[in-house]
Amino acid sequence: MTVTTGLWILGLCLAVSRPLAAPETETAIGEFSTVEGEVLVTHSAIAGMVPIALHDPVFFKDSIETREAARTKALFLNETLLIVGENSRVEIDEHIYDPNQNRWSITMSLLEGKLRALVGEAFGASGSRFKVRTSTAVFAARGTYFVVWVENGRSGGVNLGEKGNVDFTSEGHTVSIKPGEFSEALAGHPPTQPALSTPGVSAHLTRAVQTTELEGFQGAERELQQRLREEVKELRTMTAERAAVPQSGIKGEKAERPIRPELHERPMRPERPERPMRPERPERPMRPR
């Protein structure tokens, strides 16, 4: 099975076809623009889990894990934002772009914990989709701002956006969560009827919202979208600058050594005069016994 990941940005087309197993080539789909506490990533081309550093790239099929009091913000080149709260694990299952239809399709799995997503305006195109799967439910959105959580077998979501709905499906039943509403579902049960997300209405909701908040990235959806566009613009510029760095200028590369002159170009040393041979010693007569 092959999944194609594409980015058509500022006239630059980055496309890669890769199997779900360890690939030969990688294309970054974004970067980690905030890292708080202990955040780890499992990458298909790396054995085991490794710590995330600020501005590390995000790749398709990455598995992101946060520990206690940790969180991270992943900024995608398609103007989508992902914030992973503490004690969470998220996997990027699908990242597809069809330039002919201008259609995006991204699917993530929330195995445990909480995540917040600000879906880019590019997903407003017909046929585009942004999905978050849990072990028992699916959340689907197009161009909105929402939080999803999995806690003690309970899946839930809240729509923080100003427009657009989040479709929540569990046990074959689907409800549409409108802006300002939330819904939950126990494993094996359909979603509850969406209700207003007033303070104190759900402890699960309160924890999910609080643990996915980041200082300096709060406000109305329109303000956040504008700020997101500015951050992505800077990210694209940095990505283009990195790609333009000549091979000899890459950090860690050894500078080329000057070519050594050929032997015939070196001045020859004067030959040493031959030493005179020592005269042979006369043979000694043998002593009588």
Side-chain angles (χ1 to χ4, degrees), residues 276-284:
M277 297 181 63
R278 294 181 180 179
E280 295 184 0
R281 294 181 180 181
E283 294 183 0
R284 296 182 180 179

Side-chain angles (χ1 to χ4, degrees), residues 245-256:
V245 173
Q247 189 72 12
S248 59
I250 296 177
K251 185 178 180 180
E253 289 267 334
K254 293 182 178 180
E256 294 185 0

Side-chain angles (χ1 to χ4, degrees), residues 103-147:
R103 183 180 299 166
W104 285 95
S105 180
I106 292 181
T107 302
M108 299 184 180
S109 291
L110 177 61
L111 305 181
E112 58 182 302
K114 309 96 179 170
L115 69 79
R116 179 183 297 227
L118 176 58
V119 183
E121 294 181 350
F123 286 83
S126 177
S128 295
R129 61 183 183 179
F130 186 99
K131 289 186 177 182
V132 177
R133 298 180 183 273
T134 72
S135 59
T136 60
V138 178
F139 298 82
R142 283 175 51 188
T144 191
Y145 187 35
F146 65 104
V147 174

Side-chain angles (χ1 to χ4, degrees), residues 9 39 41 99 102 114 121 148 157 163 173 179 183 199-200 209 215 230 247 249 251 256 273 276:
I9 299 168
V39 185
V41 65
N102 190 29
K114 309 96 179 170
E121 294 181 350
V148 174
K163 62 182 186 301
H173 298 269
S183 177
V209 172
E215 186 178 352
E230 294 172 358
Q247 189 72 12
K251 185 178 180 180
E256 294 185 0

Side-chain angles (χ1 to χ4, degrees), residues 10 13 30 47 53 106 198 202 204 230 272:
L10 299 179
C13 178
I106 292 181
T198 54
S202 168
H204 305 281
E230 294 172 358
R272 295 180 179 179

Side-chain angles (χ1 to χ4, degrees), residues 135-179:
S135 59
T136 60
V138 178
F139 298 82
R142 283 175 51 188
T144 191
Y145 187 35
F146 65 104
V147 174
V148 174
W149 63 88
V150 177
E151 190 173 7
N152 299 324
R154 181 192 301 264
S155 298
V158 57
N159 189 340
L160 303 178
E162 299 173 327
K163 62 182 186 301
N165 298 338
V166 179
D167 291 335
F168 177 20
T169 303
S170 178
E171 288 298 307
H173 298 269
T174 301
V175 297
S176 290
I177 306 175
K178 298 178 181 179

Side-chain angles (χ1 to χ4, degrees), residues 18 65 69-70 124 159 189-190 194 229 278:
R18 48 167 294 175
E65 186 170 322
N159 189 340
H189 292 76
R229 281 193 291 270
R278 294 181 180 179

